[in-house]
Amino acid sequence: MNIIINEELRSFIDPLSASESAALERSLLAEGCRDALVLWGEVLIDGHNRHDLCRRHNIPFRTVQNAAFSSLDDVMLWMIDNHLARRSVSDFQRGVMALRKKEIVSARAAHNAGVKTAAPGAVSVPGSMPDSVPDTATAIDSPPWNTREDVAKAARVSSNTIGQIERIQKAATPQLVDAVRSGTISISAAASVASLPQSAQIAAVAGGRKELQLAARQVREQKAGSRAPKEGPGDEASALRAQVAVLRQKIDALEQENAEMRSRLASAP
């Protein structure tokens, strides 16, 4: 049987911890692979960890086809929705998947808008099928996916966390991404470390959890030190009172000077 592993689809799945992998391996060795792996054509779309272990130990497994998809994007949306509904998925993976769904949905909406614009005079023939039929993935009632808040709601994390994940995706090295996926470093700390040069990120990951935490703390302290202190309402009031006191001193000095000049003029012959 030829089963194709799509690495992008596989990336949606959190890596098993050592204890989780061992428990799954014991279960497969003792009871066999009870649940069928799900395929779309020859592409594996559900059961990647079981597939790996079954092949390693020559354990027989069954497969079932899911032919409800018309494109790889449909498969991705199905996988993303399945994983977003699971409690065992980490915050980082939920954020990554929700952002990926936003990309797919946005690209599909832009494509559909372009198709409609390209054929403004198209006339439908009664009884004929439309050029494009809404697929099951897009028919699902979903958020509009226009804002970071929409993505955060789907991922069940804060919008600030989504912003941090975006920074990690944009600037983090593969080593740092692996560290945050495995839980070695938190999302917020990884977002801070991602602002460092790639060589510094790699060195921090190589140093382990403590080195990563130290690097994140140093980045935060550096940013905090570079910020100019903001004056609060109390500081502004104090500054105004000081200016008023200076002006009063100047006025008093001018009045005294005028009085002295009047006195000299009065005593002049």
Side-chain angles (χ1 to χ4, degrees):
M1 181 182 300
N2 183 35
I3 295 180
I4 298 173
I5 306 298
N6 183 294
E7 291 303 327
E8 186 172 9
L9 297 181
R10 189 187 185 100
S11 69
F12 292 154
I13 304 168
D14 262 336
L16 295 178
S17 66
S19 59
E20 289 170 336
S21 180
L24 179 58
E25 188 172 21
R26 286 194 300 271
S27 173
L28 291 171
L29 289 170
E31 304 173 12
C33 188
R34 294 178 298 177
D35 298 324
L37 310 183
V38 183
L39 303 178
W40 175 57
E42 295 182 336
V43 179
L44 181 63
I45 61 176
D46 186 55
H48 290 78
N49 292 316
R50 284 176 287 137
H51 176 256
D52 288 343
L53 290 170
C54 285
R55 290 195 61 185
R56 183 185 305 169
H57 296 289
N58 293 319
I59 300 172
F61 57 85
R62 296 178 296 109
T63 64
V64 294
Q65 283 285 337
N66 189 332
F69 311 118
S70 58
S71 69
L72 188 61
D73 281 352
D74 293 342
V75 176
M76 290 183 184
L77 291 174
W78 178 79
M79 288 186 66
I80 288 170
D81 287 337
N82 278 350
H83 282 78
L84 286 176
R86 296 176 181 175
R87 294 184 178 180
S88 59
V89 179
S90 68
D91 287 351
F92 179 73
Q93 275 298 96
R94 280 203 304 272
V96 168
M97 289 187 288
L99 287 168
R100 185 70 183 97
K101 181 171 182 177
K102 179 179 184 295
E103 292 177 2
I104 296 171
V105 172
S106 299
R108 180 168 289 180
H111 173 74
N112 292 340
V115 170
K116 291 179 182 179
T117 304
V123 178
S124 62
V125 178
S128 65
M129 290 295 292
D131 292 336
S132 61
V133 180
D135 53 71
T136 55
T138 54
I140 298 173
D141 184 21
S142 298
W145 300 93
N146 293 329
T147 66
R148 183 176 289 171
E149 286 70 23
D150 294 330
V151 179
K153 183 177 179 181
R156 303 198 304 276
V157 298
S158 68
S159 57
N160 184 50
T161 297
I162 292 297
Q164 292 169 344
I165 292 173
E166 287 178 314
R167 292 202 297 274
I168 293 169
Q169 289 183 312
K170 182 178 180 181
T173 62
Q175 294 87 344
L176 182 57
V177 173
D178 287 343
V180 70
R181 286 188 66 185
S182 65
T184 303
I185 185 175
S186 68
I187 295 173
S188 61
S192 297
V193 176
S195 66
L196 296 171
Q198 291 193 355
S199 58
Q201 294 182 40
I202 295 171
V205 174
R209 184 188 298 270
K210 289 185 177 180
E211 188 66 27
L212 283 166
Q213 292 173 342
L214 176 61
R217 185 166 63 251
Q218 288 174 341
V219 170
R220 289 168 182 161
E221 290 174 352
Q222 185 177 3
K223 288 182 178 179
S226 64
R227 294 193 191 105
K230 296 181 180 179
E231 291 186 353
D235 295 332
E236 290 185 18
S238 298
L240 288 173
R241 284 194 293 269
Q243 291 177 7
V244 169
V246 171
L247 290 173
R248 282 176 178 168
Q249 289 176 358
K250 291 182 177 180
I251 291 171
D252 291 341
L254 288 172
E255 287 179 346
Q256 184 170 354
E257 185 178 346
N258 287 337
E260 291 176 355
M261 289 181 66
R262 285 196 297 269
S263 176
R264 286 198 295 269
L265 288 173
S267 61

